[in-house]
Amino acid sequence: MEERDFDYVRGVVREHAAIVVDKGKEYLVESRLGPLARELKFASIGELTEKLRGGDLSLRARVIEAMTTNETSFFRDRSPFDAMRDVIVPELLKAREAERSLHIWCGASSTGQEPYTLAMLLLDSFPMLSEWKFSILATDLSEEVLAKAKSGLFTQLEVNRGLPANYLARYFAKEDTSWRLQSSVRDRVSFRQMNLASAWPTLPKADVVFMRNVLIYFDVQVKKQILGGVHKLLRPDGFMFLGAAETTLGVTDQFVRKTMGKSVCYRPK
């Protein structure tokens, strides 16, 4: 990949998605845009980039989607889900007993495994929530992954990654070689396209925010902007989870770090 094409793609992704692609990561751009170039019948990534320079908005959207990391799995990094079941939700059930309302936001939901894991876990462990105003909002930059998430259809490989066998038997039905999540779980999750690095739409107040494994792609200023938005959205006694490699340290002092078993969460000051 020519340096001028690499720098142009880096600039487009940073300007429109605030994703930072460091120098020396030409291999990453090539691995993401190579399949897209072949799919769209371009002779090379260079030819795709030349078309991109012409201002093709649909191509720009496809390039940004291709450059967005969508790695996920059911019960990924198990400890936050254990903390939800053992400590956080019991505490919130007491605090919200009068209003009987619980709202969770997954800010980088990808193909849906994280919000669906939360829905299954909470409905399984806290059956009284079926009578509460219990909802999960799942947002992501990519329309493509959101469409897959909404379908609730997962491959055998995807359900093999982290999903306990009893959850598969209880909440999924076989469809050909794939598995469809039952509507009683899917209906608890609403999906919405959202760019965390742009102006946010009006969102409901949240009791818990999962903002995991997404801040690592942004510079400090954008991280500060996103965490400031979460702080405004999170209820005063709420909880925020970040990825294992992420922290508020050196970015904002609006949160207090709390250890819960093997997990770490953040609470608003």
Side-chain angles (χ1 to χ4, degrees), residues 109-217:
S109 61
S110 188
T111 46
Q113 283 91 324
E114 180 179 83
Y116 285 143
T117 293
L118 286 165
M120 288 186 290
L121 176 72
L122 269 59
L123 290 171
D124 188 63
S125 301
F126 307 97
M128 73 286 292
L129 284 175
S130 63
E131 299 176 2
W132 281 40
K133 294 177 183 176
F134 164 51
S135 63
I136 300 172
L137 173 64
T139 64
D140 200 274
L141 175 65
S142 171
E143 294 278 13
E144 184 177 345
V145 300
L146 288 172
K148 174 175 170 51
K150 289 174 186 176
S151 75
L153 189 65
F154 297 94
T155 66
Q156 186 68 53
L157 178 61
E158 288 169 329
V159 298
N160 284 347
R161 294 188 65 202
L163 185 68
N166 62 316
Y167 276 67
L168 181 63
R170 189 176 308 157
Y171 294 114
F172 289 80
K174 197 80 160 50
E175 279 193 20
D176 297 324
T177 60
S178 299
W179 295 86
R180 179 87 65 181
L181 184 61
Q182 64 181 226
S183 59
S184 62
V185 177
R186 298 203 314 270
D187 291 347
R188 292 288 177 174
V189 183
S190 60
F191 291 93
R192 183 173 181 178
Q193 195 277 336
M194 179 177 172
N195 186 344
L196 292 171
S198 297
W200 290 10
T202 301
L203 298 174
K205 286 286 188 178
D207 300 292
V208 183
V209 172
F210 274 65
M211 191 64 65
R212 300 197 305 157
N213 306 305
V214 65
L215 294 183
I216 54 175
Y217 299 106

Side-chain angles (χ1 to χ4, degrees), residues 76-89 92 104-108 114 118 121 207-215 227 230 234 238-244 246-248 255-256 258-268:
R76 184 181 183 187
D77 306 324
R78 177 85 198 208
S79 57
F81 301 104
D82 291 339
M84 285 287 288
R85 182 194 61 217
D86 298 338
V87 181
I88 293 173
V89 175
L92 288 173
I104 299 171
W105 175 33
C106 294
E114 180 179 83
L118 286 165
L121 176 72
D207 300 292
V208 183
V209 172
F210 274 65
M211 191 64 65
R212 300 197 305 157
N213 306 305
V214 65
L215 294 183
L227 290 173
V230 172
L234 197 58
F239 301 82
M240 176 181 70
F241 285 97
L242 301 179
E246 298 168 324
T247 180
T248 62
F255 294 90
V256 177
K258 298 287 185 180
T259 300
M260 292 191 175
K262 295 181 179 179
S263 185
V264 169
C265 72
Y266 298 83
R267 308 201 70 178

